[in-house]
Amino acid sequence: MYKHYILCLMSICLFISLSYCKRLQNVLVLIGDDAGFESPVYNNNICKTPNLMKLAERSVIFKQAYTSVSSCSPSRSAILSGLPQHQNGMYGLHHSVHHFNSFDKVQSLPLLLQKAGIRTGIIGKKHVGPEYVYPFDFSQTEENHSILQIGRNITYMKNYLRQFLNSNDTRPFFMYIGFHDPHRCGATHPEYGSFCEKFGNGEPGMGSIVDWQPVHYKPDDVIVPYFVQDTPIARADIAAQYTTISRLDQGIGLMIKELELAGVLDDTLIIYSSDNGIPFPNGRTNLFDAGMAEPMLISSPYNTQRWAQQSDAMVSLVDIVPTVLEWFGLHYPDYKLNKQPVKLTGKSLLPILSEEPTNGWDHVYASHDLHEVTMYYPMRVLRNRQFKLIHNLNYKMPFPIDQDFYLSPTFQDILTRTRHKENLNWTKSLKTYYYRTQWELYDILNDPQELNNLAYNKQYLDVIKSLKIELNQWQNVTADPWICAPNGVLEASGTYKSHPSCLPLDNDTDEEDDELINRYTVHIN
């Protein structure tokens, strides 16, 4: 009888233990829209973000996190697939005439989690497709709501999260929340201000968001980033941005409070970041650090010893997929896209939540092809701790400007001052912003503002050759269709099926690059 009692007790304990382990596998991903480092977490003490500060107190604070592409839909596709945009097929924006989609056979994170029995949900901005590549069990997005309501009305979003958490589904969950703040809205809803900072503020005609307490800032008080001109108009634009950052911050606080109310906060991995750089000069659509560098906070309930600590590991948004897969104990499948084997180049960040790495984590890659469909400006980037190499493939054309940024007070200020030959109070001129060389090399340690291009300095010949080879290797691993551009054409079928090759175009590019094209190895087949 006693033995039977012990066995029963052990069985009950084992069942409780297994059930508990299964329950401790939730993930909440919070993504800002064009958000940057406007927070005391990252030493901006003017823009108040008390909820991000609270999250940072229970997180590892990543100081060197980067997007893999500086454009909305391509970046979100990389976040949700773990593949750079040139590999997953989302070359530009998903909506309207742009109409980009990922390849049909991409094995995205929500798809893999669904197959594994993990409950998936998305609230807010999705901006990727097709649906069967990025399916979610619970979906409240711009596809079935106004983007203003589902992306900026934090009360509206909170209520949907509560509905998701209060369901009778006891499976572990993955919830992705895409805020639309602090994205510009002057091109679509100018009545709400350049950043929709007036939307829901309670003023006549602006509507009201119950849980939002607007925070206003004086232009004279804001911190002007080094890559933005310091003028009264730009300062006022930044002040408006700060107001929507505060709405994003209050929304983050609401979402985390819902986890607490549902009793799952201490069972949930929380990841906060943004999709790309802020919508200012050198920022979004650029692959300078202003367009690549991202905030990132990751909170694990099991690694409290690392809470509030900073990490210098160089990490990428493509690391999110392997991180979540490891959290759920899942493996990435073996498969092919366009007859090319698919391999994740990102790595799980979970080990960093336990201990700061002493080696490795010292470089990231990025690629960019389009934003809007008319904005073809492909770039490939390798950044390590000292140097950044940028390859501008369409360098003979002026750098394109997107519709949102063109109408912004900041860019209009640059245009007006340039036309009237006035001082820009900027580190660049409009001409140098538009026209770039094929290669850019920056010594980030000594030139963090990326102002002195060393690519054509003979003293750095060995450095740039080494970085070009590394960049080429990454392009091979990720099956980059642009691997031969702009000097050559990739031939990988017919006669060249067994030995893919970059065939030179003799198109009047630099002699050094014509020679380099013959040295590049192409393993794509």
Side-chain angles (χ1 to χ4, degrees):
M1 182 68 181
Y2 178 76
K3 288 183 179 180
H4 178 71
Y5 173 80
I6 294 296
L7 287 173
C8 289
L9 184 61
M10 291 175 63
S11 298
I12 293 171
C13 290
L14 179 60
F15 174 79
I16 293 174
S17 176
L18 290 174
S19 300
Y20 184 69
C21 288
K22 184 177 181 180
R23 186 170 63 88
L24 300 185
Q25 291 184 351
N26 306 316
V27 174
L28 174 67
V29 174
L30 304 163
I31 299 295
D33 199 353
D34 300 354
F37 299 94
E38 302 80 19
S39 168
V41 175
Y42 289 98
N43 300 317
N44 182 331
N45 292 315
I46 302 300
C47 190
K48 306 302 181 185
T49 59
N51 295 288
L52 279 175
M53 289 292 287
K54 289 180 182 178
L55 179 58
E57 290 172 359
R58 53 181 293 136
S59 301
V60 173
I61 304 164
F62 288 86
K63 296 172 60 181
Q64 296 207 59
Y66 301 88
T67 183
S68 70
V69 54
S70 193
S71 175
C72 184
S73 295
S75 180
R76 291 164 192 271
S77 72
I79 291 171
L80 289 172
S81 73
L83 307 177
Q85 55 86 28
H86 65 256
Q87 189 175 16
N88 75 54
M90 185 73 71
Y91 305 132
L93 297 180
H94 175 59
H95 71 290
S96 188
V97 298
H98 318 296
H99 198 55
F100 287 98
N101 284 285
S102 288
F103 295 128
D104 291 348
K105 294 184 179 180
V106 167
Q107 298 291 295
S108 74
L109 181 60
L111 183 63
L112 295 175
L113 296 180
Q114 270 193 353
K115 291 179 179 179
I118 308 298
R119 185 182 182 216
T120 60
I122 182 170
I123 298 170
K125 188 171 182 178
K126 185 178 183 181
H127 212 199
V128 293
E131 170 66 24
Y132 50 80
V133 170
Y134 299 99
F136 288 86
D137 300 322
F138 181 92
S139 182
Q140 307 296 336
T141 73
E142 75 278 5
E143 295 176 353
N144 52 354
H145 298 268
S146 160
I147 186 59
L148 290 178
Q149 293 296 335
I150 202 61
R152 299 188 194 264
N153 186 332
I154 55 179
T155 300
Y156 197 70
M157 299 170 73
K158 175 198 73 175
N159 290 338
Y160 276 114
L161 180 59
R162 181 174 296 176
Q163 179 182 331
F164 177 85
L165 295 174
N166 289 344
S167 72
N168 293 324
D169 196 324
T170 59
R171 291 176 295 167
F173 66 79
F174 170 83
M175 169 55 71
Y176 175 101
I177 295 181
F179 293 93
H180 196 27
D181 283 325
H183 193 285
R184 290 186 180 275
C185 75
T188 54
H189 296 92
E191 67 273 20
Y192 294 124
S194 60
F195 280 91
C196 273
E197 69 276 9
K198 300 177 183 178
F199 175 72
N201 69 0
E203 295 178 3
M206 297 296 106
S208 179
I209 299 174
V210 175
D211 293 294
W212 181 38
Q213 299 297 319
V215 180
H216 302 289
Y217 297 87
K218 297 178 180 178
D220 288 344
D221 294 337
V222 303
I223 297 174
V224 180
Y226 67 86
F227 48 89
V228 179
Q229 76 271 23
D230 192 348
T231 65
I233 289 177
R235 282 180 167 271
D237 209 15
I238 294 170
Q241 179 211 22
Y242 279 15
T243 295
T244 54
I245 286 285
S246 71
R247 184 166 56 205
L248 165 68
D249 176 75
Q250 292 177 41
I252 289 171
L254 286 178
M255 304 310 158
I256 295 176
K257 183 65 176 179
E258 288 301 312
L259 294 183
E260 185 178 9
L261 292 174
V264 296
L265 176 60
D266 293 332
D267 303 334
T268 303
L269 181 76
I270 303 174
I271 301 174
Y272 165 72
S273 191
S274 178
D275 53 355
N276 46 248
I278 63 175
F280 284 90
N282 280 22
R284 187 184 67 186
T285 74
N286 287 271
L287 288 178
F288 300 114
D289 271 12
M292 274 184 67
E294 301 298 337
M296 182 179 280
L297 306 175
I298 303 184
S299 175
S300 168
Y302 314 134
N303 304 104
T304 58
Q305 76 279 5
R306 284 282 277 162
W307 283 6
Q309 292 186 13
Q310 295 182 342
S311 175
D312 285 314
M314 297 186 71
V315 302
S316 170
L317 296 186
V318 296
D319 295 326
I320 290 177
V321 165
T323 300
V324 175
L325 289 178
E326 183 178 356
W327 179 263
F328 287 118
L330 303 175
H331 297 286
Y332 192 72
D334 292 326
Y335 72 105
K336 292 184 177 182
L337 284 176
N338 300 318
K339 300 180 181 180
Q340 312 302 325
V342 177
K343 178 182 179 181
L344 290 179
T345 52
K347 298 181 292 184
S348 171
L349 302 175
L350 294 187
I352 301 176
L353 306 186
S354 298
E355 184 178 13
E356 181 71 2
T358 57
N359 54 63
W361 300 97
D362 55 7
H363 64 271
V364 293
Y365 296 95
S367 73
H368 182 104
D369 292 314
L370 301 101
H371 182 63
E372 295 166 357
V373 71
T374 54
M375 295 176 62
Y376 183 66
Y377 204 85
M379 298 171 279
R380 300 294 182 265
V381 172
L382 166 59
R383 191 199 191 285
N384 61 30
R385 294 196 180 275
Q386 181 167 2
F387 294 104
K388 173 187 275 187
L389 177 68
I390 303 176
H391 191 192
N392 298 308
L393 308 184
N394 204 29
Y395 66 101
K396 291 194 175 185
M397 294 294 291
F399 185 81
I401 305 297
D402 67 89
Q403 294 174 327
D404 283 332
F405 182 51
Y406 181 85
L407 293 177
S408 71
T410 295
F411 188 71
Q412 288 298 311
D413 182 45
I414 291 175
L415 284 178
T416 300
R417 287 172 175 270
T418 300
R419 289 164 180 166
H420 293 118
K421 296 181 170 53
E422 298 175 357
N423 186 359
L424 294 182
N425 291 322
W426 190 29
T427 56
K428 296 184 177 182
S429 68
L430 195 56
K431 184 176 181 179
T432 58
Y433 187 68
Y434 283 150
Y435 294 99
R436 308 175 184 188
T437 58
Q438 180 176 357
W439 296 96
E440 297 178 73
L441 175 69
Y442 298 104
D443 182 346
I444 300 295
L445 290 181
N446 297 299
D447 178 25
Q449 296 186 15
E450 299 168 280
L451 298 176
N452 184 21
N453 182 10
L454 304 172
Y456 301 95
N457 185 326
K458 293 183 178 179
Q459 294 181 6
Y460 292 86
L461 186 60
D462 290 341
V463 171
I464 196 169
K465 284 184 177 179
S466 175
L467 293 176
K468 285 179 178 179
I469 291 172
E470 288 184 56
L471 186 59
N472 171 252
Q473 292 172 343
W474 174 72
Q475 289 181 272
N476 268 293
V477 170
T478 56
D480 188 354
W482 280 263
I483 193 169
C484 301
N487 312 87
V489 171
L490 172 62
E491 295 289 355
S493 60
T495 303
Y496 297 92
K497 182 177 181 179
S498 60
H499 54 286
S501 302
C502 288
L503 302 185
L505 285 168
D506 300 328
N507 56 3
D508 195 29
T509 54
D510 296 336
E511 180 180 347
E512 175 191 345
D513 294 318
D514 286 335
E515 294 176 358
L516 184 67
I517 201 71
N518 295 318
R519 294 202 303 270
Y520 273 6
T521 56
V522 181
H523 303 301
I524 297 174
N525 52 42

